[in-house]
Amino acid sequence: MSSSAKSTTPLVYITGASSGIGQALALQYYRSGWRLALVARRTAELQAWAEAQGLSAERYAIYGADVCDVEAIAGAGQRCIAAQGLPDVVIANAGISIGMDTAIFEDLAVMQRVYATNNIGLAATFQPFVAAMNARGSGSLVGIASVAGIRGLPGHAAYCSSKAAVISYCESLRGECRPFGVKVVTIAPGYIDTPLTRENRYSMPFLMQPEAFAKKAFDAIHAGASFRVIPWQMGVVARLLRLLPNALFDRALSGRPRKHRAGES
């Protein structure tokens, strides 16, 4: 692709692009005419997927980085700017979901790992782009949260609290970036059919396919939504749960299977 084409073709930067939501978002953006900057630990798998989809080599680049490694993920952003230019949209999608039991000492390390990925990794994903987007006066920073961040679920303390933090962090960042013309968008998925959710051992209402989610997320991002729950039905459920008194909420969750811990089936 010529340098002039690069300057006129918009660029999206997506972490966690090797599977699930990230992969579906990548394909949605590609089919909408965008260039892709894709970040993942499993670069070989991501490369094989891109080739299998028939993506034009001129319209994407892959950057290997572990989102838990602050220097690595920030470095990936810097390499993207040097090689492809400053993105128009940055989607901090990489995240993990692992059950924990606070009574078990070893599970404190699980919580540390979840926070390192879902929170510190998200901030490190945005960091290389914030000042440059502010100086340019445009761009969108997109944090992938979860409806699980709205109320805590048994066995899910690490994930729920990490996603609650994503919501608050993005809200704070939105206030910081708004004066410069940069948008911060929070997307809160409900249950999406991905490798992460397939391990759940409880019912998942309004389960959505990744491709359908990606289309809705794309529309929300480019409509400039500050916060969007997808699918909308889960947004209604989330609002009702938020309003439910604690006693009723606790009773509703009584007997609900806990999120499985690492190594549990």
Side-chain angles (χ1 to χ4, degrees):
M1 181 177 290
S2 67
S3 58
S4 60
K6 287 182 180 180
S7 66
T8 58
T9 304
L11 174 67
V12 61
Y13 180 95
I14 305 172
T15 63
S18 61
S19 66
I21 285 175
Q23 204 168 79
L25 285 166
L27 198 56
Q28 173 66 43
Y29 271 91
Y30 183 86
R31 288 173 173 169
S32 299
W34 288 56
R35 292 181 296 130
L36 309 179
L38 306 177
V39 185
R41 289 181 297 114
R42 304 185 299 252
T43 55
E45 291 183 23
L46 185 52
Q47 182 66 48
W49 171 82
E51 292 174 0
Q53 295 295 325
L55 305 192
S56 168
E58 293 187 343
R59 283 181 54 198
Y60 75 91
I62 294 174
Y63 304 91
D66 186 339
V67 75
C68 287
D69 185 331
V70 169
E71 290 188 3
I73 196 65
Q78 292 161 0
R79 295 199 307 276
C80 169
I81 293 172
Q84 295 178 278
L86 181 62
D88 301 273
V89 174
V90 173
I91 304 178
N93 165 72
I96 57 174
S97 173
I98 308 171
M100 68 167 291
D101 186 340
T102 306
I104 299 172
F105 178 79
E106 290 77 12
D107 278 11
L108 295 178
V110 170
M111 192 170 208
Q112 186 176 45
R113 180 184 167 199
V114 170
Y115 282 10
T117 303
N118 295 358
N119 303 115
I120 305 302
L122 178 138
T125 296
F126 289 156
Q127 189 280 324
F129 306 108
V130 174
M133 282 187 170
N134 285 346
R136 184 179 62 188
S138 67
S140 296
L141 301 168
V142 183
I144 302 298
S146 171
V147 292
I150 295 173
R151 293 214 72 159
L153 302 172
H156 228 349
Y159 184 73
C160 290
S161 58
S162 76
K163 291 303 186 179
V166 169
I167 293 170
S168 293
Y169 169 83
C170 287
E171 190 166 48
S172 298
L173 188 63
R174 188 170 74 243
E176 296 168 13
C177 293
R178 185 187 299 113
F180 300 96
V182 175
K183 297 176 182 177
V184 178
V185 179
T186 306
I187 301 293
Y191 293 113
I192 312 300
D193 185 14
T194 68
L196 280 180
T197 58
R198 287 172 201 148
E199 297 178 358
N200 291 341
R201 53 192 182 189
Y202 43 78
S203 63
M204 295 182 285
F206 310 115
L207 184 67
M208 194 174 199
Q209 293 303 308
E211 297 77 14
F213 166 84
K215 176 62 168 64
K216 296 291 186 183
F218 180 90
D219 292 343
I221 293 165
H222 296 285
S226 58
F227 180 86
R228 184 71 56 86
V229 176
I230 301 172
W232 67 266
Q233 294 94 331
M234 283 303 296
V236 174
V237 171
R239 284 193 290 273
L240 292 175
L241 288 176
R242 185 69 271 174
L243 295 172
L244 204 63
N246 288 344
L248 292 178
F249 178 74
D250 293 346
R251 191 179 306 164
L253 292 185
S254 178
R256 185 180 191 269
R258 294 169 59 97
K259 175 73 176 180
H260 64 275
R261 296 174 56 245
E264 290 183 342
S265 58

